[in-house]
Amino acid sequence: MADEATEVQSGRTDRGAGTAAAAVIERTLGEAGLEWESPAPGRYVVTLPGTRKLATTCSLVVGRHSLSVNAFVVRRPDENHEAVHRWLLERNTRLYGVSYAIDQLGDVYLVGKFPLTAVTEEELDRILGTVLENADGSFNTLLEMGFATAIRKEYAWRVARGESTRNLEAFGHLTRGAGEE
């Protein structure tokens, strides 16, 4: 018993779990064919390809006891903050393993923390899927709620200059009549 306590206090047990978690992460990311890099031991930056949001950058950090997941979703909304925050909180009740959060600037992230013993290929795949689904899948809704005025202005500016509005087509219900005289 005393030897186990010494081992835990020294961190030897945690290093083993961290090394195992890192191996699972690298194997899972490689097998999934995802673009990723490891800027430091136990730190991973993964690019998740999307359809609405072209890519979601997700950070995975292996700590002494847990794996932290952090993914940027959208910058601080320009307007309608209360409705955006309410929508995020309501969505949190349906998410698995991660939750929407805002940083000190008001930017929106998906964050989660898991014990290292829970880091398996299946679980990591599930978590990354949840991140992608909720960053990419909610992207247009969050833009509509928090940036409708900016979308209308951008559309009108592009129309006035003869620029393409193709990437604003998803917001046609917001831009009808904008930029037209």
Side-chain angles (χ1 to χ4, degrees), residues 95-131:
L95 296 181
Y96 175 80
V98 294
S99 299
Y100 287 105
I102 58 171
D103 68 6
Q104 67 276 11
L105 300 175
D107 295 343
V108 178
Y109 289 82
L110 282 162
V111 298
K113 190 169 276 204
F114 308 89
L116 292 179
T117 56
V119 180
T120 64
E121 290 181 41
E122 297 79 19
E123 194 64 10
L124 185 58
D125 182 63
R126 186 174 181 189
I127 294 302
L128 291 175
T130 299
V131 168

Side-chain angles (χ1 to χ4, degrees), residues 105-173:
L105 300 175
D107 295 343
V108 178
Y109 289 82
L110 282 162
V111 298
K113 190 169 276 204
F114 308 89
L116 292 179
T117 56
V119 180
T120 64
E121 290 181 41
E122 297 79 19
E123 194 64 10
L124 185 58
D125 182 63
R126 186 174 181 189
I127 294 302
L128 291 175
T130 299
V131 168
L132 180 59
E133 179 181 324
N134 289 283
D136 186 65
S138 67
F139 189 64
N140 286 356
T141 300
L142 290 169
L143 291 182
E144 289 174 22
M145 291 174 67
F147 302 94
T149 300
I151 290 169
R152 287 184 189 102
K153 285 180 181 178
E154 176 71 13
Y155 182 85
W157 181 85
R158 288 181 183 199
V159 167
R161 285 159 184 73
E163 301 278 336
S164 173
T165 58
R166 193 171 65 96
N167 69 334
L168 297 174
E169 287 175 1
F171 307 105
H173 59 286

Side-chain angles (χ1 to χ4, degrees), residues 82-99:
E82 186 176 322
V84 170
H85 294 160
R86 180 180 181 92
W87 187 88
L88 295 171
L89 288 171
E90 288 174 356
R91 288 285 292 218
N92 276 347
T93 64
R94 298 189 304 259
L95 296 181
Y96 175 80
V98 294
S99 299

